[in-house]
Amino acid sequence: MKPVRTAARAMLGAIFVVSGVRVVLNPDAKVETAKRVTDRIGPLIERVDPRLPSDARTLVRLKAGTDLVAGLLLASGRFTRPAAAVLAANLVPTTVAGHAFWTMPQPERSQHEGHFLKNLGLLGGLLLAAADTQGKPSIGYRTSHAVERSQRSVRRAVRTARREAKIARRSAAAARKIPG
């Protein structure tokens, strides 16, 4: 399964690397489309910290840089689960801003509907990659089983201590009965 998993991650990450490079080099092509989302998010960012960038061009560039880095991590097999989660989170505002086909007139609608469905498929692949444990048990599973093993060890130690205390009591009682 490893070659399939490796190839799938490389193919999934490649689209984000290529688009990330294109947008980092030329963010102006996406700024107008991104304003649908950045105009709403900008004031929230300014409320959190006025020093953070909130203009559309900078946010587009930051998002593209994040896509580029996360796509490289996913494609290279490093930090694949967090990288896939970041890409999935970044894909949602991109899809809403760029392919909101339900708000468009009929001639443009079918093209954007196709892009929307493509992004939906990418989101599904990213969610699978984010949840993929590579055949190993998840952290939750390992943690719960470690707790169970610890509890069993404690119960076993308590039983052993009781048994040894009982043996010691009997030995002491027997020793008291021996003359001398």
Side-chain angles (χ1 to χ4, degrees):
M1 189 65 152
K2 185 157 172 73
V4 172
R5 188 177 278 123
T6 302
R9 285 186 183 141
M11 288 186 268
L12 191 55
I15 191 167
F16 295 99
V17 171
V18 171
S19 67
V21 167
R22 285 182 184 156
V23 175
V24 164
L25 296 175
N26 183 19
D28 298 325
K30 299 289 183 185
V31 169
E32 200 56 44
T33 305
K35 282 191 177 186
R36 292 180 194 165
V37 173
T38 59
D39 288 346
R40 294 179 187 162
I41 293 175
L44 297 174
I45 294 171
E46 287 175 359
R47 266 191 255 148
V48 170
D49 190 350
R51 295 173 293 177
L52 292 174
S54 60
D55 64 300
R57 187 172 196 278
T58 306
L59 291 175
V60 165
R61 213 173 213 173
L62 283 172
K63 188 241 179 250
T66 305
D67 282 354
L68 173 62
V69 171
L72 285 171
L73 288 172
L74 182 65
S76 68
R78 304 273 191 256
F79 301 106
T80 54
R81 293 178 72 191
V86 166
L87 290 171
N90 275 351
L91 191 60
V92 172
T94 302
T95 303
V96 170
H99 306 299
F101 68 90
W102 54 91
T103 63
M104 298 179 178
Q106 190 57 40
E108 294 177 42
R109 189 178 200 142
S110 62
Q111 177 188 1
H112 285 279
E113 188 174 6
H115 287 296
F116 177 83
L117 292 172
K118 173 201 56 129
N119 283 3
L120 199 60
L122 284 173
L123 182 62
L126 289 169
L127 291 175
L128 281 173
D132 182 26
T133 60
Q134 300 179 27
K136 300 174 188 169
S138 69
I139 291 174
Y141 177 86
R142 287 184 279 176
T143 304
S144 68
H145 282 272
V147 168
E148 287 175 20
R149 280 193 307 273
S150 298
Q151 289 173 343
R152 272 183 285 178
S153 295
V154 168
R155 284 193 299 266
R156 194 175 307 120
V158 167
R159 278 195 310 267
T160 302
R162 283 182 183 155
R163 191 177 317 119
E164 288 178 1
K166 186 177 178 182
I167 291 170
R169 270 194 318 268
R170 287 184 179 170
S171 295
R176 275 187 250 125
K177 291 180 182 178
I178 297 176

